[in-house]
Amino acid sequence: MPGLSEELIRANAILGKYVAIHDAIFKFSWRKTLPIPGLFKAIDFGAHCKDLGRLASKLAAISSALKAESGSLEAYQYTAALLEAVQALREICGRFDEKSQGDLSKYPMAEYNANLKTYEGLMNKCQALGVALNRRIRDERVQSGG
């Protein structure tokens, strides 16, 4: 996979930022669950939505570059899957941001559950492709003696 290292390094940096946003939303925290004044920290879905939009734009450019390169099918598939997951989380954040503006009927629980199920499927696909890509990179390094 010649020349992929720079694109994959950029994709990995985006992955790190995406995971941080995912964790800020879904990772258990007492600060999120206990409504104690001064301790409770609301999730800023609007900021996360904007950040995910920027990550999606950068990832789309990386994915397009990888699609154009020969010999980078796995890297392209991985970045495309990561882009889908980022976009799905962005949709969820956007909907919660709308709901947080006051209209509680904006994002019904059934719709959220369906979006969450789709998002989880995209995350699983992305993880599986990431494992396969890491395995291929590792195998190529072993074969090249590096």
Side-chain angles (χ1 to χ4, degrees):
M1 290 192 296
L4 286 182
S5 61
E6 185 175 320
E7 297 299 332
L8 288 176
I9 289 169
R10 289 176 53 212
N12 191 55
I14 290 170
L15 173 65
K17 292 173 184 173
Y18 155 72
V19 168
I21 293 170
H22 170 93
D23 287 349
I25 295 167
F26 294 110
K27 190 174 181 182
F28 176 80
S29 166
W30 285 108
R31 291 183 74 186
K32 292 182 199 172
T33 57
L34 296 176
I36 300 171
L39 182 64
F40 178 73
K41 184 177 180 193
I43 298 171
D44 189 347
F45 288 107
H48 290 319
C49 187
K50 288 176 188 172
D51 291 341
L52 289 165
R54 284 190 284 274
L55 295 179
S57 294
K58 292 176 184 177
L59 202 50
I62 292 169
S63 187
S64 293
L66 290 172
K67 186 177 183 180
E69 290 183 19
S70 61
S72 61
L73 179 62
E74 282 116 338
Y76 164 70
Q77 290 173 331
Y78 169 72
T79 57
L82 180 57
L83 176 58
E84 284 184 281
V86 167
Q87 289 170 329
L89 184 56
R90 182 175 183 264
E91 172 68 19
I92 290 170
C93 285
R95 298 301 302 276
F96 272 125
D97 184 45
E98 290 174 6
K99 187 173 183 171
S100 72
Q101 302 304 317
D103 186 356
L104 299 181
S105 65
K106 264 302 199 201
Y107 196 27
M109 186 59 97
E111 190 176 344
Y112 165 72
N113 287 334
N115 288 351
L116 185 61
K117 185 176 181 178
T118 299
Y119 172 63
E120 288 171 344
L122 291 169
M123 279 190 338
N124 291 336
K125 177 183 174 184
C126 185
Q127 288 172 342
L129 289 168
V131 167
L133 179 59
N134 283 332
R135 188 175 298 126
R136 179 168 177 210
I137 291 170
R138 185 184 64 235
D139 291 347
E140 286 182 0
R141 284 185 180 157
V142 169
Q143 289 175 355
S144 69

